[in-house]
Amino acid sequence: MSEVHVYPVPDSFKNSSSIDLEGYQAMYDQSVNDPDTFWAEQANQFLTWQAPWSQVTKSDLNKGEVAWFIDGKLNVSLNCIDRHLPARADQVAIIWEGDDPDEDQFISYQELHDQVCRLANALRARGVKKGDRVCIYMPMIPEATYAMLACARVGAVHSVVFGGFSPEALKDRILDADCQVVITADEGLRGGKRVPLKANADTALANCPNVHTCIVVRRTAGSISWDGARDFWYHDLIAKQAATCEPEVMDAEDPLFILYTSGSTGKPKGVLHTTGGYLLQAAMTHKYVFDYQEGETYWCTADVGWVTGHSYIVYGPLTNGATTLVFEGIPTYPDASRFWQVIDKHQVNIFYTAPTAIRALMGAGDDWVKKTARTSLRVLGTVGEPINPEAWEWYYRVIGDSRCPIVDTWWQTETGAHMLTPLPGAIALKPGSATLPFFGVQPALLDAEGKEVQGAGEGNLVIKAAWPSQIRSVYGDHQRCIDTYYSTYPGYYFTGDGARRDEDGYYWITGRVDDVLNVSGHRMGTAEVESALVLHEKVAEAAVVGYPHDIKGQGIYAYVTLMSGEEPSDELKKELLALVVKEIGAIARPDIIQWAPGLPKTRSGKIMRRILRKIAANEIDSLGDTSTLADPSVVTQLIENRANK
Ligand code: WT7
């Protein structure tokens, strides 16, 4: 391991409002030694409750049972909006920056309130009540946040589906959660290109008989088809509605949202998050991890279709009464300077993005950065995948002018909020390390025998005790929740990641240890891509693995075996790529397809992915033991024809 450069806490963070190392240690100790007192204090400080809890927490990790603030009552939209109105009615809640640099909007807390209430009333008028599921398939426009908050206001459970997913993927998610209402837009706009959201929704809804209402925001006024019995213009529906709406009183453990994420087997799972614990940890981490200070402008570049958008564009910042920036576009439109120009335009203080974006912009060169000032920046953040030290250093030096700490936040859809992360005023940084656990988080590394590794070492990353924003279930299939997260190591939550702990107790995530890919920070199951490929009548078998990719982190490498008598061709390759895009979406399109006359299998017929990963990574000198293969000659064949030499 090369020498690690340590970046101490900058002097500018040694002020009374930022928590320091002693403060972190004291709070961390209390959070694990006396969790009930700790979390009760935090819950009272960060949230407004309509009725107190009778018990702070109760959990049984063997059964995947987790509950926080039992019997406590609160409403998320009230916490994100109404309670701020006395002090902040005119403060900007949302800065919206359009795809076109000339388009923006500033939405005050009062306006946010009125918009959310109107939509909440409209949802109720369409029959939506507490517990109903509403699917949100939207571009990054303010209405996407209104939709989430309106659901929360009436107690409906939202299921946001990323706008880049295909009609097929959308349909699967609508059916799995039995959503009866869908909120979408005519079209989205990204990098000057139109995304046919309503047309996609129409295709999906053709097979979703229970959807009685599709609410459509007019974004581009592009031409769309219309089902007079099912479709409603958003602006028509809200026009008749009052700007006040009584929020539903929710139990702390009532569901807030479902968000689908990929695992190593089967279709994506509907990760279920609930109300009180989720909101508390989203708000607390937003405050402590970004060192958010009153009056600051905060920008997270994620899409609301991912958990990062849920927790760190909408729920965390708004609970804290912050100004949060919602960006419709992409980092490279109109040019590679866009992020830095938006930072100057809106005087962004805290900026949170993904390593893949940093690497892509680093590749575009420093000139795009240097022509902007970025003097407003104070804290930088990254999320989604391990950040390589080279990209970290560039982010630190060139974007932050060696002035802004970088918080490398490790967490997952299932964890709901940050788990391993630096706090900018407290924890010295090491490029590439997510550093130390957030309050209440008790990580451990398990060896091959399932024993805890002590001190410095490496192993599978697990969490030993329940935390407030923890996954509560897999929607409609609690057994799958237990099987996926709690059965590998009984008594622990298993993350699916490997990690190393150094002499200072810092964690270094080494990546997934299961069959989950991380492509540009997007999570994908190899099994999902394989299922799409084998739908083609000429395909007999497919095996998909990740391989190192300079910008994306991981690329998708697919080995495809054809039915006997079928011949490989470029035409067929195109058909296969199109099939994956149709079944899942463009984010799942394989980078490389290799025709494989056979796949390396054990004598019991199990595909040896380890070998396929090595060939895809062009690491053929370290294939390891191939003697257990049913037919070792398959490997020689694959090596000769590998596509990544
Ligand atoms: C997986 C979770 C959490 C929001 C975005 C992704 C990887 C996430 C980091 C990080 C190294 C990271 C892990 C994790 N990951 N953040 N800072 N360093 N790896 O959420 O789609 O649920 O994916 O992303 O492998 O398990 P997700």
Side-chain angles (χ1 to χ4, degrees):
M1 180 90 213
S2 57
E3 192 66 21
V4 175
H5 189 143
V6 180
Y7 292 80
V9 171
D11 286 339
S12 55
F13 280 79
K14 295 176 177 156
N15 59 53
S16 55
S17 42
S18 306
I19 185 169
D20 63 8
L21 185 57
E22 270 181 20
Y24 162 74
Q25 274 161 350
M27 279 176 76
Y28 183 79
D29 290 348
Q30 192 201 15
S31 73
V32 298
N33 297 329
D34 186 7
D36 283 11
T37 309
F38 177 84
W39 288 111
E41 271 173 27
Q42 301 299 326
N44 279 320
Q45 187 186 323
F46 278 86
L47 304 180
T48 297
W49 296 82
Q50 286 152 289
W53 50 89
S54 60
Q55 192 180 348
V56 172
T57 181
K58 185 167 184 273
S59 70
D60 179 348
L61 293 192
N62 285 301
K63 297 187 186 146
E65 286 173 4
V66 174
W68 285 82
F69 309 109
I70 295 148
D71 300 325
K73 307 282 181 211
L74 75 167
N75 179 284
V76 165
S77 89
L78 182 149
N79 272 275
C80 288
I81 310 172
D82 305 50
R83 64 178 181 143
H84 301 316
L85 292 180
R88 307 182 190 276
D90 297 329
Q91 184 201 305
V92 175
I94 295 173
I95 298 175
W96 177 72
E97 169 77 13
D99 187 55
D100 175 344
D102 293 330
E103 263 196 287
D104 55 22
Q105 272 183 52
F106 299 84
I107 298 132
S108 68
Y109 270 94
Q110 184 64 56
E111 199 180 337
L112 179 63
H113 171 268
D114 297 358
Q115 292 283 358
V116 168
C117 286
R118 287 206 167 89
L119 181 58
N121 287 328
L123 288 175
R124 277 189 178 144
R126 292 299 310 154
V128 175
K129 38 182 208 322
K130 179 175 171 175
D132 289 354
R133 278 81 52 217
V134 172
C135 175
I136 299 176
Y137 184 62
M138 297 271 265
M140 288 290 289
I141 54 178
E143 288 82 356
T145 64
Y146 305 161
M148 293 164 74
L149 290 160
C151 286
R153 196 160 190 99
V154 303
V157 184
H158 59 67
S159 165
V160 183
V161 176
F162 174 55
F165 278 122
S166 70
E168 196 61 30
L170 174 63
K171 179 204 73 182
D172 286 347
R173 287 158 173 76
I174 291 172
L175 291 176
D176 185 80
D178 192 19
C179 297
Q180 303 194 356
V181 173
V182 174
I183 308 177
T184 188
D186 50 0
E187 296 173 311
L189 210 51
R190 288 184 84 242
K193 298 201 187 82
R194 290 168 179 231
V195 185
L197 295 172
K198 173 63 162 65
N200 288 350
D202 287 341
T203 308
L205 293 184
N207 295 302
C208 300
N210 289 348
V211 173
H212 56 70
T213 299
C214 179
I215 302 175
V216 185
V217 177
R218 183 176 280 154
R219 168 65 188 108
T220 63
S223 87
I224 52 174
S225 0
W226 201 257
D227 175 340
R230 185 197 68 197
D231 299 342
F232 300 83
W233 282 113
Y234 182 105
H235 55 265
D236 284 345
L237 276 191
I238 65 163
K240 311 170 207 118
Q241 299 297 342
T244 56
C245 170
E246 199 52 45
E248 195 75 36
V249 177
M250 302 297 283
D251 193 275
E253 282 300 335
D254 279 333
L256 175 63
F257 66 85
I258 300 165
L259 188 57
Y260 286 84
T261 196
S262 299
S264 41
T265 55
K267 295 225 171 199
K269 298 178 285 280
V271 170
L272 183 76
H273 282 289
T274 57
T275 299
Y278 168 80
L279 197 66
L280 175 59
Q281 197 167 333
M284 255 182 99
T285 47
H286 172 261
K287 164 72 191 149
Y288 283 110
V289 173
F290 298 115
D291 188 43
Y292 181 79
Q293 308 278 335
E294 182 73 34
E296 286 192 318
T297 295
Y298 159 91
W299 180 17
C300 163
T301 69
D303 191 285
V304 290
W306 311 115
V307 74
T308 309
H310 285 60
S311 302
Y312 299 109
I313 293 177
V314 183
Y315 292 122
L318 294 178
T319 301
N320 292 334
T323 298
T324 182
L325 195 150
V326 172
F327 178 45
E328 186 183 37
I330 59 171
T332 49
Y333 179 82
D335 58 44
S337 194
R338 185 67 191 277
F339 272 1
W340 327 127
Q341 274 164 1
V342 173
I343 288 170
D344 282 357
K345 177 180 176 188
H346 297 295
Q347 292 293 293
V348 171
N349 307 108
I350 300 165
F351 178 68
Y352 189 33
T353 195
T356 186
I358 297 167
R359 287 191 297 264
L361 295 170
M362 180 168 82
D366 294 8
D367 290 352
W368 296 110
V369 188
K370 293 276 163 64
K371 60 185 189 185
T372 61
R374 291 159 283 101
T375 44
S376 56
L377 286 176
R378 203 170 61 78
V379 176
L380 300 173
T382 83
V383 60
E385 51 175 319
I387 182 165
N388 47 312
E390 191 196 3
W392 195 103
E393 298 277 354
W394 183 80
Y395 196 27
Y396 184 80
R397 234 176 352 92
V398 180
I399 304 307
D401 281 325
S402 303
R403 188 185 70 242
C404 309
I406 297 176
V407 289
D408 176 354
T409 59
W410 175 88
W411 58 297
Q412 311 177 294
T413 305
E414 295 88 340
T415 71
H418 299 153
M419 298 290 279
L420 299 174
T421 176
L423 306 186
I427 296 168
L429 307 172
K430 299 184 189 181
S433 170
T435 76
L436 299 174
F438 187 70
F439 306 132
V441 175
Q442 299 186 50
L445 302 177
L446 300 186
D447 65 18
E449 279 79 53
K451 279 222 264 317
E452 285 191 27
V453 174
Q454 303 299 324
E458 195 164 338
N460 285 346
L461 179 65
V462 297
I463 311 293
K464 290 161 70 158
W467 63 97
S469 59
Q470 186 166 357
I471 177 176
R472 296 303 197 267
S473 197
V474 166
Y475 188 78
D477 195 352
H478 191 68
Q479 190 57 44
R480 196 169 171 205
C481 180
I482 298 172
D483 294 345
T484 310
Y485 306 107
Y486 302 102
S487 65
T488 316
Y489 301 112
Y492 298 94
Y493 167 85
F494 178 42
T495 64
D497 280 313
R500 187 168 66 79
R501 187 170 48 221
D502 69 18
E503 319 68 47
D504 298 321
Y506 278 40
Y507 288 86
W508 301 73
I509 305 295
T510 51
R512 302 288 304 196
V513 295
D514 53 11
D515 292 321
V516 171
L517 305 178
N518 192 329
V519 181
S520 299
H522 300 323
R523 189 165 150 184
M524 213 110 44
T526 50
E528 281 172 79
V529 184
E530 289 162 2
S531 312
L533 290 167
V534 299
L535 288 176
H536 198 288
E537 56 181 14
K538 295 184 178 165
V539 173
E541 205 172 18
V544 167
V545 297
Y547 72 99
H549 186 289
D550 284 349
I551 306 274
K552 300 179 176 185
Q554 271 189 317
I556 303 179
Y557 195 117
Y559 297 86
V560 173
T561 307
L562 297 178
M563 296 286 191
S564 67
E566 297 296 346
E567 286 300 317
S569 70
D570 285 349
E571 196 49 42
L572 181 53
K573 222 175 235 189
K574 278 192 202 129
E575 286 175 30
L576 292 179
L577 296 177
L579 184 56
V580 175
V581 172
K582 172 175 173 284
E583 288 299 311
I584 307 172
I587 54 172
R589 183 194 281 120
D591 297 272
I592 296 174
I593 291 181
Q594 176 175 348
W595 306 115
L599 294 170
K601 291 186 186 166
T602 60
R603 286 184 202 104
S604 59
K606 195 172 176 298
I607 296 176
M608 289 191 76
R609 291 168 178 283
R610 177 176 58 81
I611 292 174
L612 293 176
R613 277 194 283 265
K614 289 283 183 189
I615 297 173
N618 202 17
E619 291 173 4
I620 46 171
D621 297 337
S622 56
L623 282 187
D625 185 13
T626 55
S627 63
T628 55
L629 288 174
D631 176 8
S633 74
V634 164
V635 176
T636 327
Q637 259 268 5
L638 290 178
I639 291 175
E640 260 165 38
N641 297 314
R642 69 192 186 278
N644 192 24
K645 279 183 217 178

